[in-house]
Amino acid sequence: MPKDMRTYRGYGRRRYSGRVTFFICLLFVVLLAGVAAALILLNRPETVSGGPVAGLGYDETARVGMLEEGEAGDLLGLDEFQYRLNRTPSAVKGEANWRIENPPENRQLMRVSVRLPDGTVLYETGLIKPYYSIRTGPLLQKLEPGIYNVTAEITVLDAVSREPVSSAEEELVLQVE
């Protein structure tokens, strides 16, 4: 072997410059971050686009947002808790416009149950979070066309323990067509 080849320091080994080593490390980090992001996105739980997660007692028909001014029910109060409820709902083909809303100012959950004077349940919601509303809902009992005096029981529940905090009753006039 010639003498000048033996004195070459990198003979037989491949050496990378600092820039090449930096770009290889950068590529490795970007690849690792991409794999981590893909795993996170693939393992996310499914979310319901409109209402709260099903199976936890929340009303699946409740939608995020307040009712518009023209369709909002009457704003009523129960101590520090406010709610909206249509006092004159009408039902067409078994679907009534209840217009129930839990305004965003509240911190508690609410549940509404509408009953005939004999105790027959006509409509019942699941839990309704603050800033959620229900526009319409089905009648659970078939009624003949006419006007019915019904009672809506509004129950306020603690957001953490889900224990009832207070309740109120409102008299409604239901028109069935």
Side-chain angles (χ1 to χ4, degrees):
M1 200 180 262
K3 186 175 183 180
D4 53 326
M5 289 295 266
R6 276 187 254 142
T7 59
Y8 178 67
R9 297 177 86 181
Y11 182 73
R13 294 187 309 199
R14 186 170 185 163
R15 294 183 54 114
Y16 294 106
S17 68
R19 284 187 182 154
V20 174
T21 305
F22 172 76
F23 284 119
I24 290 174
C25 289
L26 182 64
L27 180 65
F28 180 73
V29 169
V30 169
L31 182 66
L32 190 62
V35 169
L39 288 174
I40 289 171
L41 291 175
L42 291 176
N43 289 329
R44 276 192 350 202
E46 285 188 37
T47 57
V48 179
S49 61
V53 178
L56 298 177
Y58 293 108
D59 194 308
E60 295 178 20
T61 61
R63 298 292 174 239
V64 175
M66 297 171 51
L67 297 169
E68 295 168 11
E69 202 57 44
E71 67 175 9
D74 299 326
L75 182 64
L76 306 167
L78 178 65
D79 294 332
E80 303 266 331
F81 185 83
Q82 294 183 338
Y83 57 92
R84 286 191 187 276
L85 179 66
N86 185 5
R87 287 189 176 186
T88 57
S90 60
V92 178
K93 296 183 181 176
E95 188 82 10
N97 61 343
W98 301 111
R99 298 188 317 230
I100 301 167
E101 179 184 310
N102 189 351
E105 299 84 31
N106 293 332
R107 298 290 174 250
Q108 298 91 2
L109 305 170
M110 71 182 275
R111 179 182 296 142
V112 178
S113 177
V114 179
R115 301 174 191 277
L116 288 170
D118 66 2
T120 305
V121 177
L122 288 180
Y123 181 70
E124 198 164 43
T125 69
L127 299 175
I128 305 171
K129 285 182 166 184
Y131 197 64
Y132 278 74
S133 61
I134 297 174
R135 287 178 172 73
T136 62
L139 292 176
L140 299 177
Q141 302 292 325
K142 184 166 177 64
L143 297 175
E144 295 296 321
I147 295 175
Y148 296 87
N149 292 321
V150 296
T151 303
E153 181 183 3
I154 298 91
T155 306
V156 179
L157 300 110
D158 183 71
V160 177
S161 68
R162 296 187 183 172
E163 294 293 321
V165 176
S166 62
S167 66
E169 289 187 352
E170 295 289 333
E171 297 298 321
L172 309 179
V173 178
L174 174 65
Q175 180 177 349
V176 178
E177 296 176 12

